Amino acid sequence: MEVRAKKAASAGTPIVVGMMTDRRPAAGAVEMLASVEAVASAVFDALGFEGKAGQTAVVTTSDRTVVFVGLGDEADAEGLRVAAGTARNAVKKAETVATTLHLIEIDGALPAVVEGFGLADYQYQSYLSDPEERKPLTLEILDAPKGWKSVVSDSSAIIEAVALARDLVNTPPRDKAPLDLAQRATDAASDTSLKVELWKVDRLRKEKMGGILGVGLGSHRPPCLLRLTHTVRKPKARLAIVGKGITFDSGGLSIKPSNMMETMKSDMAGAAAVIAAMIAISKLGIPVEVTGYAALAENLPGGGAQRPGDVLTARNGKTIEVINTDAEGRLVLADALSLAAESEPDLILDLATLTGACKVALGEKIAGLWSNGVEPTEMVTAAAAAAGERIWPMPQPADYWSLIESDIADMRNSSSSRYGGAMAATLLLEQFVADVPWAHLDIAGPAFMSKAEHYIPKGGTGFGVRTIVELARSMAE
Ligand code: BES
Ligand code: MN
Ligand code: ZN
């Protein structure tokens, strides 16, 4: 997306303005409303447009098009993101759109508006024989505030990172074996100052990464671990982020039913968010040391595959009985979390499409948050709220440990009960973070949407990128 500051919209350009409940014009809308008044109220009546959040009314007169978008009773930054995305979809064909939405007097209005338009402008066309020829949107900011350029440049870095994460998730699984994904991350990091390290199978063996190796056994395409490091001169804090990167989850020998497998190319969405966020953090020059880990493997039932009943030893020496090979995310995370914990960062955040149970609990739009303390919960909750990503805190009940007790190993990888599956997973993860403050986001729901909504497309969403960036920013303060 290209963004320009303008005194007035270019000729023929639709202008997006905000309306509050009961058709009260928001800041920047009064003049536009006056200019189309002759037709506006008739159009509002016909469309039932009242100014409620999510409503739009496109009013075209002989000399202009105005897109009225509802903001409800009170707009916040996320309301502006949603409004901008909704408005962009209402005039999908337009190559240029002007707006006054950012004039609403709330904190972070301009970046939110830019993000809403930019995130809505995403399309995945890499596998179309005849892709639609479409220029990226040009956004005209009317009455831009001083300093708009640096705001727009920071927002653009975030928008691009989210688009990268979406692209990686949307890529068909044949074309993103673990080493392919590592290569794409390396390419994307090439114009940043990130340090890139790749541990292939030999190194994984030397480093005792039994979880990642175990999951990778069933595929001809080997697993790997990618580490990206953002270093700064005097870091204000140290953050580690860890992503589950199962490039395809068939379930392994505990094979999934085919309908459950259809979207399992998205099982690397945590790793995609980590990779993309690392690139944004580097471009933004956030003064925090951030290390990103992507635990990459393909979970297939090939002849070498691990079996239910096998026991593996993770990086920190703890043993796990693999009761269900479809509970593979926690196995790769066990290694990556152990490694991350060794450097004793101030906080570890992992992101994983970990359990269907979390998706059942919170639905498609909300991620579950677990942690080993109050502070990590508060930090991640605040970051997600500022970023406009929806998460909800979940319990980590110590007495549920019995669900994953094994007869022969330190723990088993899947619960002995039908119930509380997301908790069984997080209790296992906690075994691998030592005493380091840790939070975990189960993004099984919001990583991949079955339906588009405002600035969020169908398919890969890039969920988590904005929360990670916001978390790093908050740790710089
Ligand atoms: N990748 C899945 C979880 C998932 C399900 C993500 C649906 C997104 C949408 C994970 O590896 C998995 O298979 N989990 C199992 C765990 C069970 C075998 C203990 C599950 O949730 O059924
Ligand atoms: Mn699985
Ligand atoms: Zn999985």
Side-chain angles (χ1 to χ4, degrees), residues 266-304:
S266 67
D267 213 20
M268 37 57 76
V274 165
I275 291 164
M278 287 305 300
I279 288 166
I281 286 166
S282 172
K283 289 191 174 162
L284 295 171
I286 297 174
V288 169
E289 184 183 297
V290 188
T291 309
Y293 302 81
L296 302 168
E298 187 172 36
N299 191 22
L300 292 184

PDB file of all heavy atoms in Angstrom, residues 266-304:
ATOM      1  N   SER A 266      -1.972 -24.988   7.858  1.00  0.00           N
ATOM      2  CA  SER A 266      -1.871 -23.804   8.721  1.00  0.00           C
ATOM      3  C   SER A 266      -1.209 -24.108  10.061  1.00  0.00           C
ATOM      4  O   SER A 266      -1.118 -23.228  10.919  1.00  0.00           O
ATOM      5  CB  SER A 266      -3.265 -23.228   8.979  1.00  0.00           C
ATOM      6  OG  SER A 266      -4.027 -24.147   9.758  1.00  0.00           O
ATOM      7  N   ASP A 267      -0.721 -25.338  10.239  1.00  0.00           N
ATOM      8  CA  ASP A 267      -0.195 -25.719  11.547  1.00  0.00           C
ATOM      9  C   ASP A 267       1.203 -25.147  11.817  1.00  0.00           C
ATOM     10  O   ASP A 267       1.806 -25.441  12.841  1.00  0.00           O
ATOM     11  CB  ASP A 267      -0.194 -27.247  11.675  1.00  0.00           C
ATOM     12  CG  ASP A 267      -0.442 -27.710  13.113  1.00  0.00           C
ATOM     13  OD1 ASP A 267      -0.976 -26.922  13.904  1.00  0.00           O
ATOM     14  OD2 ASP A 267      -0.089 -28.862  13.419  1.00  0.00           O
ATOM     15  N   MET A 268       1.655 -24.321  10.905  1.00  0.00           N
ATOM     16  CA  MET A 268       2.931 -23.612  11.102  1.00  0.00           C
ATOM     17  C   MET A 268       2.696 -22.121  11.331  1.00  0.00           C
ATOM     18  O   MET A 268       3.614 -21.311  11.210  1.00  0.00           O
ATOM     19  CB  MET A 268       3.883 -23.824   9.909  1.00  0.00           C
ATOM     20  CG  MET A 268       3.264 -23.882   8.530  1.00  0.00           C
ATOM     21  SD  MET A 268       2.295 -22.439   8.096  1.00  0.00           S
ATOM     22  CE  MET A 268       3.657 -21.326   7.763  1.00  0.00           C
ATOM     23  N   ALA A 269       1.446 -21.763  11.650  1.00  0.00           N
ATOM     24  CA  ALA A 269       1.103 -20.341  11.791  1.00  0.00           C
ATOM     25  C   ALA A 269       1.853 -19.670  12.943  1.00  0.00           C
ATOM     26  O   ALA A 269       2.168 -18.481  12.875  1.00  0.00           O
ATOM     27  CB  ALA A 269      -0.403 -20.177  11.968  1.00  0.00           C
ATOM     28  N   GLY A 270       2.151 -20.414  14.003  1.00  0.00           N
ATOM     29  CA  GLY A 270       2.929 -19.837  15.102  1.00  0.00           C
ATOM     30  C   GLY A 270       4.325 -19.468  14.630  1.00  0.00           C
ATOM     31  O   GLY A 270       4.817 -18.363  14.885  1.00  0.00           O
ATOM     32  N   ALA A 271       4.944 -20.386  13.898  1.00  0.00           N
ATOM     33  CA  ALA A 271       6.284 -20.114  13.363  1.00  0.00           C
ATOM     34  C   ALA A 271       6.242 -18.962  12.361  1.00  0.00           C
ATOM     35  O   ALA A 271       7.137 -18.105  12.346  1.00  0.00           O
ATOM     36  CB  ALA A 271       6.848 -21.370  12.695  1.00  0.00           C
ATOM     37  N   ALA A 272       5.193 -18.914  11.545  1.00  0.00           N
ATOM     38  CA  ALA A 272       5.066 -17.818  10.572  1.00  0.00           C
ATOM     39  C   ALA A 272       4.974 -16.481  11.295  1.00  0.00           C
ATOM     40  O   ALA A 272       5.600 -15.491  10.879  1.00  0.00           O
ATOM     41  CB  ALA A 272       3.830 -18.039   9.697  1.00  0.00           C
ATOM     42  N   ALA A 273       4.208 -16.438  12.378  1.00  0.00           N
ATOM     43  CA  ALA A 273       4.073 -15.191  13.143  1.00  0.00           C
ATOM     44  C   ALA A 273       5.417 -14.783  13.750  1.00  0.00           C
ATOM     45  O   ALA A 273       5.779 -13.605  13.752  1.00  0.00           O
ATOM     46  CB  ALA A 273       3.018 -15.347  14.235  1.00  0.00           C
ATOM     47  N   VAL A 274       6.154 -15.774  14.251  1.00  0.00           N
ATOM     48  CA  VAL A 274       7.467 -15.480  14.848  1.00  0.00           C
ATOM     49  C   VAL A 274       8.428 -14.930  13.784  1.00  0.00           C
ATOM     50  O   VAL A 274       9.079 -13.901  13.988  1.00  0.00           O
ATOM     51  CB  VAL A 274       8.047 -16.750  15.514  1.00  0.00           C
ATOM     52  CG1 VAL A 274       9.533 -16.589  15.812  1.00  0.00           C
ATOM     53  CG2 VAL A 274       7.281 -17.059  16.806  1.00  0.00           C
ATOM     54  N   ILE A 275       8.491 -15.598  12.645  1.00  0.00           N
ATOM     55  CA  ILE A 275       9.396 -15.170  11.567  1.00  0.00           C
ATOM     56  C   ILE A 275       9.045 -13.745  11.117  1.00  0.00           C
ATOM     57  O   ILE A 275       9.908 -12.864  11.029  1.00  0.00           O
ATOM     58  CB  ILE A 275       9.309 -16.152  10.382  1.00  0.00           C
ATOM     59  CG1 ILE A 275       9.925 -17.501  10.758  1.00  0.00           C
ATOM     60  CG2 ILE A 275       9.967 -15.568   9.128  1.00  0.00           C
ATOM     61  CD1 ILE A 275       9.548 -18.658   9.821  1.00  0.00           C
ATOM     62  N   ALA A 276       7.764 -13.522  10.858  1.00  0.00           N
ATOM     63  CA  ALA A 276       7.331 -12.215  10.342  1.00  0.00           C
ATOM     64  C   ALA A 276       7.531 -11.119  11.386  1.00  0.00           C
ATOM     65  O   ALA A 276       7.987 -10.020  11.062  1.00  0.00           O
ATOM     66  CB  ALA A 276       5.871 -12.287   9.917  1.00  0.00           C
ATOM     67  N   ALA A 277       7.217 -11.423  12.637  1.00  0.00           N
ATOM     68  CA  ALA A 277       7.376 -10.412  13.688  1.00  0.00           C
ATOM     69  C   ALA A 277       8.846 -10.057  13.886  1.00  0.00           C
ATOM     70  O   ALA A 277       9.183  -8.893  14.117  1.00  0.00           O
ATOM     71  CB  ALA A 277       6.763 -10.908  15.000  1.00  0.00           C
ATOM     72  N   MET A 278       9.739 -11.059  13.772  1.00  0.00           N
ATOM     73  CA  MET A 278      11.177 -10.779  13.912  1.00  0.00           C
ATOM     74  C   MET A 278      11.625  -9.774  12.852  1.00  0.00           C
ATOM     75  O   MET A 278      12.420  -8.871  13.121  1.00  0.00           O
ATOM     76  CB  MET A 278      11.994 -12.070  13.780  1.00  0.00           C
ATOM     77  CG  MET A 278      11.918 -13.020  14.957  1.00  0.00           C
ATOM     78  SD  MET A 278      12.341 -12.323  16.564  1.00  0.00           S
ATOM     79  CE  MET A 278      14.030 -11.774  16.298  1.00  0.00           C
ATOM     80  N   ILE A 279      11.105  -9.941  11.638  1.00  0.00           N
ATOM     81  CA  ILE A 279      11.488  -9.030  10.554  1.00  0.00           C
ATOM     82  C   ILE A 279      10.985  -7.615  10.843  1.00  0.00           C
ATOM     83  O   ILE A 279      11.727  -6.631  10.701  1.00  0.00           O
ATOM     84  CB  ILE A 279      10.989  -9.600   9.212  1.00  0.00           C
ATOM     85  CG1 ILE A 279      11.862 -10.805   8.862  1.00  0.00           C
ATOM     86  CG2 ILE A 279      11.029  -8.551   8.108  1.00  0.00           C
ATOM     87  CD1 ILE A 279      11.339 -11.686   7.780  1.00  0.00           C
ATOM     88  N   ALA A 280       9.738  -7.532  11.319  1.00  0.00           N
ATOM     89  CA  ALA A 280       9.197  -6.207  11.660  1.00  0.00           C
ATOM     90  C   ALA A 280       9.989  -5.571  12.810  1.00  0.00           C
ATOM     91  O   ALA A 280      10.328  -4.385  12.761  1.00  0.00           O
ATOM     92  CB  ALA A 280       7.724  -6.324  12.038  1.00  0.00           C
ATOM     93  N   ILE A 281      10.307  -6.357  13.822  1.00  0.00           N
ATOM     94  CA  ILE A 281      11.037  -5.834  14.993  1.00  0.00           C
ATOM     95  C   ILE A 281      12.396  -5.288  14.564  1.00  0.00           C
ATOM     96  O   ILE A 281      12.836  -4.223  15.001  1.00  0.00           O
ATOM     97  CB  ILE A 281      11.176  -6.932  16.069  1.00  0.00           C
ATOM     98  CG1 ILE A 281       9.828  -7.161  16.755  1.00  0.00           C
ATOM     99  CG2 ILE A 281      12.259  -6.594  17.091  1.00  0.00           C
ATOM    100  CD1 ILE A 281       9.732  -8.435  17.591  1.00  0.00           C
ATOM    101  N   SER A 282      13.051  -6.014  13.656  1.00  0.00           N
ATOM    102  CA  SER A 282      14.338  -5.547  13.163  1.00  0.00           C
ATOM    103  C   SER A 282      14.182  -4.249  12.367  1.00  0.00           C
ATOM    104  O   SER A 282      14.917  -3.286  12.564  1.00  0.00           O
ATOM    105  CB  SER A 282      14.980  -6.639  12.297  1.00  0.00           C
ATOM    106  OG  SER A 282      16.133  -6.145  11.678  1.00  0.00           O
ATOM    107  N   LYS A 283      13.189  -4.206  11.481  1.00  0.00           N
ATOM    108  CA  LYS A 283      12.980  -2.997  10.669  1.00  0.00           C
ATOM    109  C   LYS A 283      12.607  -1.801  11.535  1.00  0.00           C
ATOM    110  O   LYS A 283      12.971  -0.671  11.220  1.00  0.00           O
ATOM    111  CB  LYS A 283      11.906  -3.249   9.616  1.00  0.00           C
ATOM    112  CG  LYS A 283      12.415  -4.200   8.523  1.00  0.00           C
ATOM    113  CD  LYS A 283      11.516  -4.281   7.318  1.00  0.00           C
ATOM    114  CE  LYS A 283      12.214  -5.130   6.247  1.00  0.00           C
ATOM    115  NZ  LYS A 283      11.275  -5.628   5.219  1.00  0.00           N
ATOM    116  N   LEU A 284      11.870  -2.050  12.611  1.00  0.00           N
ATOM    117  CA  LEU A 284      11.451  -0.954  13.483  1.00  0.00           C
ATOM    118  C   LEU A 284      12.567  -0.537  14.441  1.00  0.00           C
ATOM    119  O   LEU A 284      12.474   0.481  15.111  1.00  0.00           O
ATOM    120  CB  LEU A 284      10.211  -1.366  14.288  1.00  0.00           C
ATOM    121  CG  LEU A 284       8.943  -1.634  13.467  1.00  0.00           C
ATOM    122  CD1 LEU A 284       7.853  -2.253  14.342  1.00  0.00           C
ATOM    123  CD2 LEU A 284       8.437  -0.356  12.831  1.00  0.00           C
ATOM    124  N   GLY A 285      13.615  -1.353  14.534  1.00  0.00           N
ATOM    125  CA  GLY A 285      14.728  -1.024  15.421  1.00  0.00           C
ATOM    126  C   GLY A 285      14.329  -0.939  16.886  1.00  0.00           C
ATOM    127  O   GLY A 285      14.794  -0.073  17.630  1.00  0.00           O
ATOM    128  N   ILE A 286      13.467  -1.820  17.325  1.00  0.00           N
ATOM    129  CA  ILE A 286      13.013  -1.799  18.726  1.00  0.00           C
ATOM    130  C   ILE A 286      14.193  -2.139  19.648  1.00  0.00           C
ATOM    131  O   ILE A 286      14.889  -3.131  19.428  1.00  0.00           O
ATOM    132  CB  ILE A 286      11.841  -2.793  18.917  1.00  0.00           C
ATOM    133  CG1 ILE A 286      10.651  -2.338  18.051  1.00  0.00           C
ATOM    134  CG2 ILE A 286      11.435  -2.899  20.385  1.00  0.00           C
ATOM    135  CD1 ILE A 286       9.474  -3.293  18.038  1.00  0.00           C
ATOM    136  N   PRO A 287      14.435  -1.291  20.677  1.00  0.00           N
ATOM    137  CA  PRO A 287      15.645  -1.456  21.504  1.00  0.00           C
ATOM    138  C   PRO A 287      15.556  -2.566  22.551  1.00  0.00           C
ATOM    139  O   PRO A 287      15.868  -2.363  23.720  1.00  0.00           O
ATOM    140  CB  PRO A 287      15.814  -0.084  22.151  1.00  0.00           C
ATOM    141  CG  PRO A 287      14.426   0.443  22.240  1.00  0.00           C
ATOM    142  CD  PRO A 287      13.682  -0.081  21.050  1.00  0.00           C
ATOM    143  N   VAL A 288      15.111  -3.718  22.125  1.00  0.00           N
ATOM    144  CA  VAL A 288      15.000  -4.886  22.997  1.00  0.00           C
ATOM    145  C   VAL A 288      15.698  -6.023  22.265  1.00  0.00           C
ATOM    146  O   VAL A 288      15.622  -6.103  21.039  1.00  0.00           O
ATOM    147  CB  VAL A 288      13.504  -5.229  23.239  1.00  0.00           C
ATOM    148  CG1 VAL A 288      13.328  -6.568  23.911  1.00  0.00           C
ATOM    149  CG2 VAL A 288      12.834  -4.128  24.059  1.00  0.00           C
ATOM    150  N   GLU A 289      16.396  -6.875  23.020  1.00  0.00           N
ATOM    151  CA  GLU A 289      16.989  -8.043  22.374  1.00  0.00           C
ATOM    152  C   GLU A 289      15.888  -9.099  22.205  1.00  0.00           C
ATOM    153  O   GLU A 289      15.263  -9.504  23.182  1.00  0.00           O
ATOM    154  CB  GLU A 289      18.123  -8.599  23.235  1.00  0.00           C
ATOM    155  CG  GLU A 289      18.849  -9.762  22.562  1.00  0.00           C
ATOM    156  CD  GLU A 289      19.924 -10.330  23.482  1.00  0.00           C
ATOM    157  OE1 GLU A 289      20.874  -9.589  23.818  1.00  0.00           O
ATOM    158  OE2 GLU A 289      19.773 -11.494  23.885  1.00  0.00           O
ATOM    159  N   VAL A 290      15.646  -9.502  20.976  1.00  0.00           N
ATOM    160  CA  VAL A 290      14.578 -10.475  20.736  1.00  0.00           C
ATOM    161  C   VAL A 290      15.156 -11.662  19.970  1.00  0.00           C
ATOM    162  O   VAL A 290      15.862 -11.493  18.970  1.00  0.00           O
ATOM    163  CB  VAL A 290      13.414  -9.870  19.930  1.00  0.00           C
ATOM    164  CG1 VAL A 290      12.233 -10.853  19.885  1.00  0.00           C
ATOM    165  CG2 VAL A 290      12.957  -8.536  20.511  1.00  0.00           C
ATOM    166  N   THR A 291      14.883 -12.861  20.465  1.00  0.00           N
ATOM    167  CA  THR A 291      15.301 -14.068  19.770  1.00  0.00           C
ATOM    168  C   THR A 291      14.052 -14.847  19.368  1.00  0.00           C
ATOM    169  O   THR A 291      13.182 -15.091  20.204  1.00  0.00           O
ATOM    170  CB  THR A 291      16.183 -14.941  20.684  1.00  0.00           C
ATOM    171  OG1 THR A 291      17.215 -14.115  21.226  1.00  0.00           O
ATOM    172  CG2 THR A 291      16.825 -16.077  19.899  1.00  0.00           C
ATOM    173  N   GLY A 292      13.982 -15.198  18.109  1.00  0.00           N
ATOM    174  CA  GLY A 292      12.826 -15.950  17.612  1.00  0.00           C
ATOM    175  C   GLY A 292      13.224 -17.366  17.244  1.00  0.00           C
ATOM    176  O   GLY A 292      14.252 -17.589  16.606  1.00  0.00           O
ATOM    177  N   TYR A 293      12.435 -18.327  17.693  1.00  0.00           N
ATOM    178  CA  TYR A 293      12.700 -19.734  17.404  1.00  0.00           C
ATOM    179  C   TYR A 293      11.523 -20.299  16.609  1.00  0.00           C
ATOM    180  O   TYR A 293      10.372 -20.182  17.034  1.00  0.00           O
ATOM    181  CB  TYR A 293      12.825 -20.550  18.689  1.00  0.00           C
ATOM    182  CG  TYR A 293      13.901 -20.076  19.637  1.00  0.00           C
ATOM    183  CD1 TYR A 293      13.675 -19.004  20.502  1.00  0.00           C
ATOM    184  CD2 TYR A 293      15.146 -20.704  19.687  1.00  0.00           C
ATOM    185  CE1 TYR A 293      14.651 -18.566  21.385  1.00  0.00           C
ATOM    186  CE2 TYR A 293      16.128 -20.279  20.570  1.00  0.00           C
ATOM    187  CZ  TYR A 293      15.883 -19.209  21.407  1.00  0.00           C
ATOM    188  OH  TYR A 293      16.850 -18.781  22.283  1.00  0.00           O
ATOM    189  N   ALA A 294      11.815 -20.945  15.488  1.00  0.00           N
ATOM    190  CA  ALA A 294      10.770 -21.638  14.737  1.00  0.00           C
ATOM    191  C   ALA A 294      11.117 -23.119  14.720  1.00  0.00           C
ATOM    192  O   ALA A 294      12.157 -23.523  14.191  1.00  0.00           O
ATOM    193  CB  ALA A 294      10.686 -21.090  13.315  1.00  0.00           C
ATOM    194  N   ALA A 295      10.239 -23.932  15.344  1.00  0.00           N
ATOM    195  CA  ALA A 295      10.459 -25.382  15.418  1.00  0.00           C
ATOM    196  C   ALA A 295       9.703 -26.021  14.256  1.00  0.00           C
ATOM    197  O   ALA A 295       8.480 -26.117  14.283  1.00  0.00           O
ATOM    198  CB  ALA A 295       9.957 -25.909  16.757  1.00  0.00           C
ATOM    199  N   LEU A 296      10.450 -26.441  13.228  1.00  0.00           N
ATOM    200  CA  LEU A 296       9.839 -26.828  11.955  1.00  0.00           C
ATOM    201  C   LEU A 296       9.929 -28.333  11.712  1.00  0.00           C
ATOM    202  O   LEU A 296      11.005 -28.927  11.759  1.00  0.00           O
ATOM    203  CB  LEU A 296      10.546 -26.083  10.811  1.00  0.00           C
ATOM    204  CG  LEU A 296      10.522 -24.544  10.917  1.00  0.00           C
ATOM    205  CD1 LEU A 296      11.481 -23.914   9.911  1.00  0.00           C
ATOM    206  CD2 LEU A 296       9.107 -24.028  10.698  1.00  0.00           C
ATOM    207  N   ALA A 297       8.789 -28.939  11.437  1.00  0.00           N
ATOM    208  CA  ALA A 297       8.754 -30.374  11.113  1.00  0.00           C
ATOM    209  C   ALA A 297       7.458 -30.665  10.371  1.00  0.00           C
ATOM    210  O   ALA A 297       6.491 -29.900  10.461  1.00  0.00           O
ATOM    211  CB  ALA A 297       8.818 -31.221  12.393  1.00  0.00           C
ATOM    212  N   GLU A 298       7.482 -31.783   9.627  1.00  0.00           N
ATOM    213  CA  GLU A 298       6.269 -32.200   8.927  1.00  0.00           C
ATOM    214  C   GLU A 298       5.769 -33.471   9.601  1.00  0.00           C
ATOM    215  O   GLU A 298       6.541 -34.432   9.742  1.00  0.00           O
ATOM    216  CB  GLU A 298       6.592 -32.456   7.446  1.00  0.00           C
ATOM    217  CG  GLU A 298       5.373 -32.740   6.608  1.00  0.00           C
ATOM    218  CD  GLU A 298       5.680 -32.795   5.112  1.00  0.00           C
ATOM    219  OE1 GLU A 298       6.787 -33.277   4.736  1.00  0.00           O
ATOM    220  OE2 GLU A 298       4.830 -32.371   4.326  1.00  0.00           O
ATOM    221  N   ASN A 299       4.519 -33.493  10.013  1.00  0.00           N
ATOM    222  CA  ASN A 299       3.988 -34.640  10.770  1.00  0.00           C
ATOM    223  C   ASN A 299       3.258 -35.598   9.829  1.00  0.00           C
ATOM    224  O   ASN A 299       2.067 -35.443   9.564  1.00  0.00           O
ATOM    225  CB  ASN A 299       3.050 -34.142  11.877  1.00  0.00           C
ATOM    226  CG  ASN A 299       2.667 -35.245  12.863  1.00  0.00           C
ATOM    227  OD1 ASN A 299       3.375 -36.256  12.982  1.00  0.00           O
ATOM    228  ND2 ASN A 299       1.560 -35.064  13.559  1.00  0.00           N
ATOM    229  N   LEU A 300       4.000 -36.590   9.312  1.00  0.00           N
ATOM    230  CA  LEU A 300       3.440 -37.561   8.362  1.00  0.00           C
ATOM    231  C   LEU A 300       3.608 -38.977   8.915  1.00  0.00           C
ATOM    232  O   LEU A 300       4.467 -39.232   9.759  1.00  0.00           O
ATOM    233  CB  LEU A 300       4.155 -37.444   7.007  1.00  0.00           C
ATOM    234  CG  LEU A 300       3.940 -36.165   6.195  1.00  0.00           C
ATOM    235  CD1 LEU A 300       4.637 -36.278   4.844  1.00  0.00           C
ATOM    236  CD2 LEU A 300       2.462 -35.866   6.003  1.00  0.00           C
ATOM    237  N   PRO A 301       2.827 -39.925   8.386  1.00  0.00           N
ATOM    238  CA  PRO A 301       2.893 -41.306   8.895  1.00  0.00           C
ATOM    239  C   PRO A 301       3.780 -42.211   8.045  1.00  0.00           C
ATOM    240  O   PRO A 301       3.463 -43.383   7.853  1.00  0.00           O
ATOM    241  CB  PRO A 301       1.427 -41.753   8.815  1.00  0.00           C
ATOM    242  CG  PRO A 301       0.880 -41.009   7.624  1.00  0.00           C
ATOM    243  CD  PRO A 301       1.667 -39.736   7.486  1.00  0.00           C
ATOM    244  N   GLY A 302       4.912 -41.718   7.557  1.00  0.00           N
ATOM    245  CA  GLY A 302       5.820 -42.545   6.745  1.00  0.00           C
ATOM    246  C   GLY A 302       6.380 -43.730   7.528  1.00  0.00           C
ATOM    247  O   GLY A 302       6.178 -43.860   8.734  1.00  0.00           O
ATOM    248  N   GLY A 303       7.118 -44.592   6.818  1.00  0.00           N
ATOM    249  CA  GLY A 303       7.628 -45.827   7.418  1.00  0.00           C
ATOM    250  C   GLY A 303       8.528 -45.621   8.611  1.00  0.00           C
ATOM    251  O   GLY A 303       8.646 -46.495   9.468  1.00  0.00           O
ATOM    252  N   GLY A 304       9.159 -44.464   8.695  1.00  0.00           N
ATOM    253  CA  GLY A 304      10.049 -44.209   9.841  1.00  0.00           C
ATOM    254  C   GLY A 304       9.347 -43.542  11.003  1.00  0.00           C
ATOM    255  O   GLY A 304       9.975 -43.241  12.019  1.00  0.00           O
TER     256      GLY A 304
END
